[in-house]
Amino acid sequence: MIRFDPHIPLALWLPLAIAAAALLVVYAIRSHDRLTGPRRTIVLGLMTVCLLLPLLLLLNPIWIQRTPPPPGKPLLTVLVDQSASMGTVDGNGLGYSRIDVARHAVKAIQEQLGEKYELRFRAFSETSHSFEPSTIDQLEADGGETNFADSIEKVLGEDRPPGQAVLVLSDGIDTSSANSIALQKTAQRAKALSTPLFVRPLGTQQGVRDLQVSLPQSQQLAFSNQRVPITLRLAHSFPESQKVSVTLKADSETIEERVVNLLPHTPAEETFYVEPDASGLFRYQLSATSIDGEVTDLNNSATVLLRVIDQPVAVLLLEGKPYWDTKFLIRTLANDPSVALTSVVQMAPGRFLQRQLEPAKRAEEESPSESESVDKATSVPRNEWKIHREAPDVLADSEFLAQFQIIILGRNTEAYLNDKTLRQLKSWVSSSEGSLVCFRGSPASQLTQELGALMPIDWDNSGETHTRMSLTDAGQAAQWLPDLSSQLELLPSLALSARPDQVKPLTTVLAEGASTDQAVPLITFRPTGRGRVVVLEGSGMWRWAFLPPEHQSHDEIYATLWRSLVRWLVSHVGLLPHEEVALRTDSITVSSNQTAAATLLLREEQWDKPPVVHLTGGGIDAGRSFAPVSQDANGVYRVNFGKLPPGNYSAQVFRTEDEDAIAETSFDVTANPRERLDVVARPKMLQDLAEQSGASVLEKTDPTEMALELDHVFEEHRQRSRPDRMIRTSAWDRWWVLLGTLGLWGTTWVVRRWASLV
């Protein structure tokens, strides 16, 4: 095929053609007398051709030829998902598993398309590997993870010729750590390589029947001889009621066993109580018996670690006036055997009462006379009281503050807060992992700039309001008040003299109250350095501890709230004052395909170098030692145990080989149950993968029809993405055109000379 691509515009070429024709006519007329007969015809014909040939070359004729297709067969790679979810029996409604449907599809593709395409077969789960179609019946659905992005990337290698195709046979359940963005980039890369990712979704939207055991809190902090509740949650997906036996064990010793009746599709909670009588780390396991027809029992048990300490929590309470709220709070904390309370209350102008109450002694003391001498706050003996005529400078003494884990500020505490004490208080919160609690809203009638910067919220003096408390979703998730959260709205309302106006960044609202226009934050929490600041809004909470007879069933809520809050704040502290080292695992239960790790906390001034962490138990034959890796924070180290086989493991820290462990933790490694439990097919994910790569979803269910459909859509894609290639050759690039032109001109000159015209 010849096309023209003129070197000059047609507007210029046309006058040249007319001029050439006119010259030829003039020449023919003038040579009429000299040329007669055949010579005239030959000469005029040759001269006409000589004039037309340059004009034709100016039009730039181009020869266009189709190139032959590349040799060989097109390449088609079939990816077969062999993760555990593919073992689900729901394929085609005929009792086939999903892997059975994939096997039939592979056989049909080999039979129908083996002559036309170069076929490659690969199976994938955590990674991918090739297999022969003759061994397809030996392919089992036993993979512990499904990694689409990595498996497809390995198929899109650099040695792969462009314009080929991939077929993915899967249920679309991606259980790897790769996110959707990584998979999207893989599909876009496939499109750039002209490699469509055709998909055939397998499976249905039907889930499995399973019993799941879980714990709201897998790590708890308690005190010696404290009765500790352990709440267990049970959920199942069976359509009928079930009866299971639940067992609580400490190591291998059974503590309690009970039978639980489970209603259809209704979660249930069971609370067990333990009361350790010594300090240390206690491991409890709760397990439920399997139900007939359950897909797996890997999630029928849960482990909780209870860290028991025998040192009381040191609490400092500062109050500006003797309010009822203060009296009931002091009484509540004083009756808690796990709290060592120091309180300072301004009884009147120039009269401050300081009391220090140890857990072992809770007798109410008579008020001392004002004639008592005034000493420093830090010199007050244990279990005694003291009268001060001026505000004691307790917040300015860093050594005195270092003994407390919690400082509680009441209302009108301006007498204790000056520039010096505020700087010291801020340093204590930021560096010592302490908790500053404002238990009746703003601690001062007028907040200074430095004090206001510590608070998690700002206040608006818009008049007194009343509201009732309820936990937010964040408060429920924090599990700081798990047993009584549903009863808070039944208690008397709280009075707010200054309304919380603005929640600052990084602040978490744990509880809120209803208002006419919006929710009012009542309990807020904000990290500050290594510590935290907590604000409890509202006066009148003392009425929760002094309820009328019709509400006596809720009489313990007030004390439980404060006990839970104290334990929740202390449990978030890395090192308690009496500890020099602590070892905390990231999770009590990890999967065998996840990396187990822990955090080591040290008081670096007591260690020349970080100690080695020893790991024993589980599926390792001998103990292993791990060197901690320092983090940015001082005294914080990470210990990476890597991926471990299933089993129970114990990690310990020793000062010397001959001594007992000075810190320890425990965790369980289980086989990954997600592939067995999360079996609801994801056809939408596969559809997005196909569309983003420029392919489509195969609709046929019959294996033979599906193979023919694949052939059809792949051929259409090749027609669209690989048009015929053409070779364009200009007349100027043909040697014989130049040679023929010169030869024609020479022949014309010879003929004219022969005719005596030259």
Side-chain angles (χ1 to χ4, degrees):
M1 185 171 58
I2 299 178
R3 293 182 181 177
F4 294 92
D5 186 12
H7 287 297
I8 61 175
L10 291 178
L12 178 60
W13 182 87
L14 190 57
L16 289 178
I18 294 174
L23 289 175
L24 185 61
V25 171
V26 171
Y27 180 80
I29 295 173
R30 296 186 60 181
S31 62
H32 182 271
D33 297 334
R34 290 180 292 174
L35 291 175
T36 59
R39 289 190 304 170
R40 176 183 175 84
T41 302
I42 294 173
V43 170
L44 291 178
L46 289 174
M47 292 187 66
T48 300
V49 174
C50 289
L51 287 174
L52 290 177
L53 190 58
L55 292 174
L56 182 63
L57 292 178
L58 286 175
L59 292 176
N60 189 27
I62 297 175
W63 281 265
I64 299 178
Q65 294 178 319
R66 283 187 172 87
T67 59
K73 301 177 181 179
L75 179 59
L76 175 63
T77 301
V78 181
L79 277 177
V80 180
D81 186 353
Q82 66 166 141
S83 59
S85 63
M86 291 288 288
T88 305
V89 179
D90 59 2
N92 283 350
L94 300 177
Y96 293 145
S97 67
R98 298 172 186 178
I99 193 68
D100 288 335
V101 178
R103 292 190 186 108
H104 295 157
V106 167
K107 295 176 181 178
I109 291 172
Q110 176 67 25
E111 180 180 350
Q112 299 293 327
L113 307 181
E115 298 294 330
K116 185 175 181 180
Y117 297 99
E118 178 188 349
L119 298 177
R120 296 180 185 177
F121 297 91
R122 296 184 68 86
F124 72 96
S125 53
E126 298 96 333
T127 59
S128 65
H129 61 89
S130 60
F131 68 91
E132 295 297 328
S134 58
T135 64
I136 184 62
D137 290 332
Q138 303 174 13
L139 195 66
E140 298 294 336
D142 55 4
E145 185 180 79
T146 310
N147 193 334
F148 277 95
D150 182 69
S151 302
I152 296 175
E153 280 289 344
K154 290 183 178 179
V155 175
L156 303 177
E158 295 299 330
D159 60 338
R160 184 180 181 82
Q164 306 305 308
V166 176
L167 172 63
V168 181
L169 301 173
S170 173
D171 53 17
I173 305 172
D174 192 347
T175 58
S176 69
S177 57
N179 53 31
S180 59
I181 296 178
L183 192 59
Q184 182 179 359
K185 290 182 177 179
T186 300
Q188 292 173 349
R189 182 167 179 262
K191 185 174 183 179
L193 294 174
S194 189
T195 305
L197 304 177
F198 297 102
V199 298
R200 175 64 180 91
L202 305 177
T204 66
Q205 303 295 301
Q206 182 178 356
V208 297
R209 295 186 176 186
D210 180 62
L211 170 67
Q212 181 180 9
V213 172
S214 62
L215 292 168
Q217 291 178 295
S218 57
Q219 300 186 67
Q220 296 189 41
L221 181 72
F223 299 89
S224 299
N225 298 310
Q226 175 191 347
R227 192 164 180 255
V228 182
I230 300 177
T231 301
L232 178 71
R233 292 177 177 173
L234 300 104
H236 72 98
S237 55
F238 287 80
E240 61 277 346
S241 299
Q242 299 292 331
K243 182 181 294 186
V244 297
S245 177
V246 181
T247 305
L248 171 65
K249 292 184 178 181
D251 295 328
S252 58
E253 179 183 355
T254 299
I255 299 178
E256 184 179 353
E257 185 174 358
R258 66 179 68 165
V259 176
V260 180
N261 292 315
L262 300 176
L263 298 177
H265 304 289
T266 303
E269 288 191 355
E270 290 291 321
T271 301
F272 295 81
Y273 291 89
V274 295
E275 191 171 351
D277 56 0
S279 61
L281 184 69
F282 295 85
R283 179 179 178 272
Y284 298 96
Q285 186 177 44
L286 296 106
S287 58
T289 54
S290 299
I291 303 176
D292 291 339
E294 187 177 1
V295 65
T296 179
D297 60 357
L298 291 177
N299 58 345
N300 282 30
S301 62
T303 301
V304 60
L305 283 186
L306 183 62
R307 193 175 302 276
V308 181
I309 59 177
D310 54 8
Q311 298 291 329
V313 179
V315 179
L316 173 63
L317 186 148
L318 302 177
E319 181 59 270
K321 292 181 181 180
Y323 294 98
W324 278 104
D325 281 303
T326 308
K327 181 177 180 63
F328 276 86
L329 178 58
I330 292 177
R331 187 187 71 173
T332 299
L333 296 178
N335 289 330
D336 190 343
S338 62
V339 173
L341 176 65
T342 300
S343 66
V344 182
V345 180
Q346 181 176 231
M347 309 300 294
R351 180 183 174 88
F352 295 85
L353 173 62
Q354 176 173 329
R355 303 181 64 192
Q356 191 155 350
L357 298 161
E358 284 289 342
K361 183 178 180 180
R362 297 302 186 191
E364 292 290 337
E365 305 287 347
E366 294 292 333
S367 297
S369 64
E370 295 187 24
S371 60
E372 292 289 338
S373 61
V374 179
D375 294 332
K376 287 186 60 178
T378 55
S379 65
V380 177
R382 297 284 181 179
N383 299 313
E384 294 189 4
W385 44 260
K386 200 74 172 177
I387 286 291
H388 300 275
R389 300 194 178 194
E390 295 181 358
D393 204 13
V394 292
L395 297 180
D397 192 331
S398 59
E399 294 183 1
F400 181 66
L401 288 182
Q403 65 180 305
F404 297 103
Q405 289 94 64
I406 300 175
I407 295 178
I408 301 177
L409 297 181
R411 189 178 292 179
N412 305 115
T413 57
E414 292 92 336
Y416 308 96
L417 303 174
N418 52 45
D419 292 342
K420 179 180 179 181
T421 58
L422 280 175
R423 287 193 296 270
Q424 192 63 48
L425 183 62
K426 185 176 182 180
S427 175
W428 173 82
V429 172
S430 301
S431 60
S432 68
E433 296 187 292
S435 296
L436 177 64
V437 179
C438 302
F439 85 100
R440 283 187 298 129
S442 174
S445 56
Q446 295 293 330
L447 292 180
T448 63
Q449 182 176 0
E450 192 164 2
L451 179 59
L454 273 176
M455 298 296 106
I457 58 175
D458 293 325
W459 285 271
D460 177 20
N461 296 319
S462 58
E464 183 172 309
T465 58
H466 290 77
T467 185
R468 282 183 167 83
M469 181 183 296
S470 62
L471 293 187
T472 62
D473 292 340
Q476 296 278 5
Q479 289 294 322
W480 70 280
L481 194 62
D483 296 331
L484 303 176
S485 59
S486 60
Q487 305 179 37
L488 294 179
E489 297 182 10
L490 304 177
L491 299 176
S493 62
L494 302 177
L496 282 70
S497 58
R499 178 190 175 116
D501 180 43
Q502 183 177 359
V503 178
K504 296 181 180 179
L506 303 180
T507 296
T508 301
V509 180
L510 301 178
E512 62 186 12
S515 180
T516 56
D517 52 352
Q518 61 181 2
V520 179
L522 296 182
I523 301 181
T524 51
F525 163 81
R526 184 190 186 197
T528 301
R530 299 178 67 181
R532 60 213 58 82
V533 179
V534 181
V535 173
L536 282 76
E537 295 290 342
S539 300
M541 190 179 288
W542 64 271
R543 292 184 294 157
W544 293 9
F546 197 64
L547 297 173
E550 61 269 20
H551 294 291
Q552 289 299 312
S553 60
H554 306 304
D555 194 45
E556 284 296 318
I557 292 182
Y558 181 81
T560 302
L561 182 144
W562 281 104
R563 284 197 299 266
S564 299
L565 181 62
V566 168
R567 282 156 178 75
W568 181 68
L569 293 175
V570 174
S571 66
H572 286 70
V573 174
L575 287 174
L576 296 174
H578 64 280
E579 292 181 321
E580 60 176 289
V581 59
L583 188 61
R584 306 282 190 267
T585 183
D586 291 353
S587 177
I588 298 302
T589 303
V590 297
S591 175
S592 56
N593 65 330
Q594 296 176 328
T595 299
T599 299
L600 178 67
L601 305 174
L602 299 176
R603 298 196 188 278
E604 291 193 314
E605 64 273 10
Q606 301 182 17
W607 294 84
D608 296 332
K609 61 179 182 178
V612 173
V613 178
H614 301 273
L615 183 69
T616 57
I620 54 178
D621 297 334
R624 300 177 185 174
S625 298
F626 297 86
V629 179
S630 177
Q631 302 296 293
D632 295 336
N634 294 332
V636 180
Y637 296 82
R638 291 289 293 168
V639 185
N640 190 339
F641 300 120
K643 294 183 179 181
L644 300 170
N648 172 249
Y649 293 84
S650 176
Q652 297 175 316
V653 177
F654 300 89
R655 182 175 288 277
T656 63
E657 295 182 359
D658 299 331
E659 297 180 358
D660 294 334
I662 57 176
E664 64 177 331
T665 189
S666 177
F667 61 92
D668 294 329
V669 178
T670 63
N672 184 14
R674 183 177 176 185
E675 281 288 343
R676 291 292 185 187
L677 300 176
D678 187 7
V679 298
V680 176
R682 310 284 202 280
K684 182 63 169 59
M685 193 280 289
L686 292 173
Q687 180 182 353
D688 293 341
L689 178 67
E691 291 177 351
Q692 291 167 4
S693 69
S696 59
V697 178
L698 302 184
E699 302 292 343
K700 302 297 184 181
T701 57
D702 181 77
T704 302
E705 294 180 357
M706 187 268 295
L708 297 177
E709 181 186 10
L710 174 62
D711 178 36
H712 175 70
V713 295
F714 185 23
E715 185 65 31
E716 286 186 345
H717 181 274
R718 294 178 63 208
Q719 294 292 338
R720 293 193 309 268
S721 61
R722 292 177 60 95
D724 293 336
R725 292 188 177 184
M726 302 294 183
I727 298 178
R728 297 164 57 92
T729 306
S730 173
W732 294 98
D733 296 331
R734 302 285 182 131
W735 62 269
W736 54 267
V737 172
L738 178 60
L739 184 62
T741 302
L742 295 177
L744 181 61
W745 287 350
T747 302
T748 303
W749 185 85
V750 171
V751 171
R752 291 184 64 206
R753 186 174 182 80
W754 170 69
S756 301
L757 297 177
V758 178

